[in-house]
Amino acid sequence: MSKRIERMVLNNFKGAAGSLILELDKGKPITLIFGENGSGKSTILDAIDFVCNERYGSISDRSVGKGYAEYMPTLGTTKAQLEASVTTADGTWVGKLGGRNPITTGPAANRPKVEILRRSRILNIVNAQPKERYAAIKDFIEVPMCEANERTLRDAEKQKREEYEDATKAVQLAQSTLKSNWEREGKPETSPVEWAKKTTSIDLISLDASLKDYESINASLSACTIAFSGLVKSETDYNTAKGEYHKTVTAYEVAKAKYKEDVDALIEVLTQAQDYLQRNAGTVTCPVCEQPIVPVTLTARIRERLAAMNEQISARQRMQKAKHNYETKGTIVGSKQKDFRNAVISLKAKVESSMLPLITSLRLDYSVFTKLVDSKIDIDEQSLNQAKTLYSAISAINNKLTAEKQSLSDIKGKQKALQTHLDTINSNTKTAKNLESLVIILAQILEIVDQQRKKYVDELLQNIAGEVERLYTSVHPSEGIGKIHWYLNPQFQGSLEFDGQFQGVTDVPPPAYYSESHLDTLGVCVFLALAKCKKDDNTVVVLDDVVTSVDQVHMERFFRMLNDEAENFNQLIIGTHYRPWRDKYRYYSGAGSKVQLIELQHWSLRKGIRHTKTKFSIEELQEAIFATPFDRQVVASKAGILLEGVLDRLGRQFQCKLPLKNDPDFTLSEYTGGFSSALKRLLRVERKKSDDSIESIEIGNKLELSTDQTWVRNQVGCHFSVGGMTISDHDVEEFGRRVVDFTSIIVCETCGEYPNRNKSGSYWECKCGSTRLYPLVTPS
């Protein structure tokens, strides 16, 4: 496919210090990235997740204490320096950090759809609690719009149910309160509601008018009372000041009698002269007689004479002060009289027009209050007396006015409260009735939507169950496990359960019985089945160190399963530190292999991620044969290792007889002796050509030609040997060519796979079926 990821560029992205450029072979559906732990595999795969899914990758499965974005740039670099890009035939997408979140820029459409499986996700699929298990695969089984609509519907149903319950509670509370009030009133009428209706039937307008009248008269009467209190106090103060003044007058007269001269005139003259001299300190002439004077002497004399009249002066000052206070108090009395008279005029206007029973019952003749008409005229004794008379008459019923006002206020409050309760009962009863119907309808719709969604998910899980079983059985044939059944727990939302078979017993929880390797491969099979269900032409499947516990036999089947499934996706990218996985492809694949091998080198912060494209063993051997200068040891060694790998595969496939020993690692000579003459005679390969013709190639003789020269490998490629020095380069080259020839014939030119599938019962065939290997079994 032309839309495979063909190029990646990482700048200061996690372990990719500086810049990393990774070229992927778009002609090969599988890319295997091999590297020891800490070499940068997860950085590369996280970059794909970062750009294509706008996620943080594997770090999202770990607890790092704060925002993931902080740890995405390489140590010593900033967020602004981070950048990762992914290129396909449709364009280039660039991922950066936008604030606290990843963002991707590039073409709006055709961005690769990437599904990533990590070890943590496998554990969640098979070992986690049902809720976490559901979360691990919900991206595959959820219908986004359906889920959103169901959440909206569920929220609406919840909201309306709460509104219905609130309305019902409001009705119940109002009814309870009415009943309590009704019982306190002695249970008048037949029911609380009837009593409340009758009570609230009182003319509220008339009641408000009367209450307003009472409040107005009450306020005016209160103003009169305050003004009258002020008047009384001012009169009391005036009388007191008047008495004090008369006392000081008497005391002053007594003091004056003790002095033979006119005290008032003399004090005035001496005081004025003293003031004149103080203002005119330099004068030497008397201002009255114009005779020469000595200012100091005259000033001293004036002081002596005033001191001699100290008693009279003090008495005179006290009298003058008392007079001033007396006159001031008189002025205040006049003001207070006018305030009181004006307050009563205001009161008269209100009570005269009032129709309140308490006021009309007084039968006052307002025409006699002739002076209580205009507040602007001066106060006199007649108007003051009229004001006191009217005030006295109204204030006499003040307590009754206050009590009546409170009574009306209580009636109004009770009426308002009862009306509120009645309105609450009426409105909320109607609301509750409407909401009850709506809640029932929403609940029914929600149940239908929920059932349909779960039905869809259950059907989807049932559909993939067959695919999971097919994949799982291909890895674990005839082992008494499998038959996995996935289903949603109807009692909980987002709860995914599953069970399976173990040794003939069904409906058992796999985590309780399956080994770690069985659970690992199960998780991969489930993921692949789900990804296949949701795939499109741009789907890229990424496996990040997903299998570490599988033994050699199962790993062989697992490799085959992945090779088969790769054709169902746009691209399969595998990251692993498992060396047998790399070597399996390297030594057992041919020139037509669909796998690209990328090997990561030792990582350091200074150099970042380094890589090399791993060559298949047959490619390395071919290059070594044609290399200049010719390295005989390399050719002999690589040819021997490649031949051992091929013979090991064929020996297992045909169940050849090999020596029984503790260490199952066999030598090249032991492999060679395992193939019987009868098997060699029958060994042949049939290839379908482009014109559908069949080419048949006998390979028994090629096997013998390859194995006849194993001594070349032993003496030249493995050990120091004097005899090996006598072997010519031509013999070494010939040994290498024979191995290449033998290996290349067996591998399918179309799909690059060995014919190791028994579909016909008569021969082995490759994945595409264009290459067949005979016989099916070793002849007895």
Side-chain angles (χ1 to χ4, degrees), residues 484-497:
I484 305 299
H485 172 223
W486 300 85
Y487 58 94
L488 293 177
N489 189 328
Q491 297 180 351
F492 302 99
Q493 186 176 0
S495 179
L496 182 63
E497 304 278 1

Side-chain angles (χ1 to χ4, degrees), residues 24 29 113 136 167 308 355 379 408 500 582 682 737 745:
L24 277 65
K113 177 182 178 182
M355 298 302 296
I379 187 74
L408 291 179
R582 183 207 67 160
L682 297 177
R737 290 181 181 277
I745 291 173

Side-chain angles (χ1 to χ4, degrees), residues 380-662:
D380 58 18
E381 185 176 357
Q382 187 179 7
S383 63
L384 181 61
N385 289 335
Q386 288 182 6
K388 289 181 178 179
T389 300
L390 182 57
Y391 168 68
S392 178
I394 303 300
S395 63
I397 62 170
N398 182 46
N399 291 338
K400 292 182 178 180
L401 286 171
T402 303
E404 186 64 19
K405 185 193 75 168
Q406 185 60 48
S407 176
L408 291 179
S409 180
D410 291 344
I411 292 173
K412 180 182 178 181
K414 180 192 297 183
Q415 187 183 44
K416 186 176 180 180
L418 293 177
Q419 188 62 54
T420 300
H421 294 320
L422 287 176
D423 291 344
T424 299
I425 291 172
N426 293 333
S427 63
N428 283 282
T429 297
K430 182 178 180 181
T431 300
K433 184 177 181 180
N434 293 335
L435 285 172
E436 183 178 21
S437 301
L438 182 58
V439 168
I440 292 174
I441 294 173
L442 288 174
Q444 291 173 344
I445 296 174
L446 181 61
E447 183 179 3
I448 293 172
V449 172
D450 183 64
Q451 289 177 349
Q452 290 301 313
R453 179 184 60 80
K454 289 181 177 178
K455 179 181 178 183
Y456 165 80
V457 174
D458 283 334
E459 289 177 352
L460 177 63
L461 292 173
Q462 291 175 10
N463 290 337
I464 70 163
E467 182 64 13
V468 172
E469 179 66 14
R470 184 185 68 81
L471 297 175
Y472 200 51
T473 302
S474 68
V475 180
H476 304 280
S478 305
E479 294 185 21
I481 59 175
K483 298 189 183 302
I484 305 299
H485 172 223
W486 300 85
Y487 58 94
L488 293 177
N489 189 328
Q491 297 180 351
F492 302 99
Q493 186 176 0
S495 179
L496 182 63
E497 304 278 1
F498 80 117
D499 50 44
Q501 171 184 278
F502 184 76
Q503 299 302 314
V505 180
T506 58
D507 299 333
V508 300
Y513 293 92
Y514 289 14
S515 68
E516 182 179 359
S517 65
H518 287 105
L519 293 175
D520 282 352
T521 52
L522 175 60
V524 176
C525 292
V526 171
F527 175 80
L528 292 175
L530 289 169
K532 188 187 298 185
C533 182
K534 292 290 185 177
K535 74 180 180 69
D536 60 23
D537 291 341
N538 285 334
T539 299
V540 176
V541 172
V542 176
L543 304 180
D544 185 4
D545 255 348
V546 294
V547 176
T548 59
S549 60
V550 181
D551 59 31
Q552 182 178 354
V553 175
H554 291 92
M555 186 60 76
E556 175 73 22
R557 301 186 192 122
F558 184 71
F559 293 157
R560 185 191 304 171
M561 183 268 288
L562 286 182
N563 288 340
D564 292 347
E565 293 307 307
E567 65 185 19
N568 293 312
F569 302 103
N570 178 26
Q571 192 172 19
L572 176 61
I573 300 176
I574 303 169
T576 183
H577 70 276
Y578 190 54
R579 189 174 294 275
W581 200 337
R582 183 207 67 160
D583 291 344
K584 193 75 173 178
Y585 283 129
R586 183 183 179 196
Y587 290 111
Y588 291 170
S589 296
S593 173
K594 301 302 180 182
V595 180
Q596 177 189 13
L597 297 180
I598 297 176
E599 187 165 352
L600 303 183
Q601 306 299 307
H602 176 70
W603 179 90
S604 68
L605 183 59
R606 184 175 64 86
K607 295 182 178 180
I609 299 174
R610 296 177 299 149
H611 67 90
T612 180
K613 288 183 173 60
T614 304
K615 297 177 181 178
F616 295 102
S617 56
I618 192 170
E619 294 174 336
E620 289 183 340
L621 177 56
Q622 288 174 319
E623 289 182 4
I625 291 174
F626 294 103
T628 303
F630 182 76
D631 192 331
R632 52 194 277 121
Q633 184 179 13
V634 169
V635 171
S637 176
K638 290 185 178 296
I641 294 175
L642 175 59
L643 183 58
E644 281 182 347
V646 175
L647 295 180
D648 179 82
R649 188 181 189 98
L650 290 175
R652 295 177 185 278
Q653 191 168 341
F654 288 104
Q655 299 181 3
C656 295
K657 297 177 180 179
L658 295 169
L660 181 64
K661 57 182 184 178
N662 293 330

Side-chain angles (χ1 to χ4, degrees), residues 686-704:
E686 289 185 354
R687 287 181 172 173
K688 183 186 294 185
K689 297 295 185 179
S690 58
D691 58 358
D692 289 337
S693 62
I694 302 298
E695 176 188 15
S696 181
I697 305 172
E698 303 294 333
I699 61 172
N701 61 330
K702 295 183 180 293
L703 172 61
E704 290 184 346

Side-chain angles (χ1 to χ4, degrees), residues 276-287 291 293-296 298:
Y276 177 81
L277 291 174
Q278 288 177 347
R279 291 195 302 271
N280 303 276
T283 185
V284 294
T285 303
C286 176
Q291 297 296 317
I293 63 171
V294 178
V296 176
L298 182 57

Side-chain angles (χ1 to χ4, degrees), residues 172-185:
Q172 293 173 347
L173 180 60
Q175 290 175 337
S176 175
T177 305
L178 273 185
K179 184 178 179 182
S180 298
N181 294 335
W182 176 64
E183 290 174 345
R184 280 198 299 270
E185 294 289 332

Side-chain angles (χ1 to χ4, degrees), residues 15 84 111 116 175 214 245 278 328 337 384 514 528 585 623 665 711 773:
R111 182 167 64 174
I116 297 183
Q175 290 175 337
Y214 272 116
Y245 171 66
Q278 288 177 347
T328 301
Q337 287 175 341
L384 181 61
Y514 289 14
L528 292 175
Y585 283 129
E623 289 182 4
D665 292 333
W711 49 271
L773 174 63

